[in-house]
Amino acid sequence: MTLYDIPLRTLTGESTSLAAYEGKAVLLVNVASKCGLTPQYAGLERLQQQYGERGFTVLGVPSNQFAGQEPGTAEEIQTFCSATYGVTFPLLEKTDVNGESRHPLYTELTKAADAEGEAGDVQWNFEKFLLSPKGEVVARIRPRTEPEAPEVVAAIEAQLPG
């Protein structure tokens, strides 16, 4: 099984999978609306605008597992993201990223190690996983690293198709 085979749902409840993004570089990020790191939405959206037409997308995955910082309904999350940060990138349904109810996507993603060689549980909101156009995890970026940090931008640019 590959990451492309794992069933997902969009924030609006439609069935999807990462296969919809095959051939694109994808920055998967667990997001939250009431977190000290929530302003990272702005940087994520700028990356979407800068690289979206070059075979890249941000994919937001709301999660309420860290201090209850994503309590909203799907509609509230969508409204917050679009009204506050002008988010245009796709969002998946609210998902558990750690623990017994961890989504199968995150069971696979958390096997990937970060730059220090550490794998395992997601540390906090806004942890980032960069996927190659072939659907392989090529970078794991911890929450406090800003989306537009030079090392993140360089990693994204290295994965842009063509």
Side-chain angles (χ1 to χ4, degrees):
M1 177 152 94
T2 70
L3 291 177
Y4 288 148
D5 299 322
I6 299 169
L8 302 170
R9 297 192 81 68
T10 66
L11 190 61
T12 56
E14 298 162 27
S15 293
T16 190
S17 74
L18 290 178
Y21 305 99
E22 189 169 359
K24 288 187 172 194
V26 176
L27 189 66
L28 249 137
V29 186
N30 62 298
V31 295
S33 302
K34 300 186 181 309
C35 174
L37 302 177
T38 299
Q40 286 192 24
Y41 266 124
L44 293 169
E45 180 59 25
R46 284 190 296 270
L47 290 174
Q48 180 69 35
Q49 294 302 316
Q50 183 172 358
Y51 296 109
E53 291 183 8
R54 294 176 57 194
F56 168 80
T57 192
V58 173
L59 187 57
V61 185
S63 180
N64 195 38
Q65 285 196 287
F66 301 100
Q69 295 181 343
E70 187 52 272
T73 64
E75 187 175 287
E76 289 168 338
I77 293 166
Q78 185 67 55
T79 299
F80 172 82
C81 290
S82 58
T84 310
Y85 292 101
V87 167
T88 62
F89 54 82
L91 296 165
L92 297 178
E93 70 181 351
K94 199 185 302 189
T95 300
D96 282 355
V97 299
N98 288 333
E100 287 182 19
S101 300
R102 181 191 326 248
H103 191 282
L105 173 63
Y106 275 87
T107 298
E108 294 304 310
L109 291 175
T110 54
K111 292 176 183 175
D114 63 15
E116 283 74 49
E118 288 186 43
D121 283 353
V122 170
Q123 290 180 342
W124 199 254
N125 300 308
F126 292 90
E127 188 146 331
K128 303 154 198 75
F129 293 87
L130 181 61
L131 307 182
S132 75
K134 294 180 181 176
E136 302 159 333
V137 179
V138 293
R140 181 176 184 166
I141 303 133
R142 295 299 184 173
R144 294 199 176 278
T145 302
E146 290 290 329
E148 295 171 296
E151 64 272 26
V152 178
V153 170
I156 290 169
E157 288 179 348
Q159 294 303 317
L160 295 174

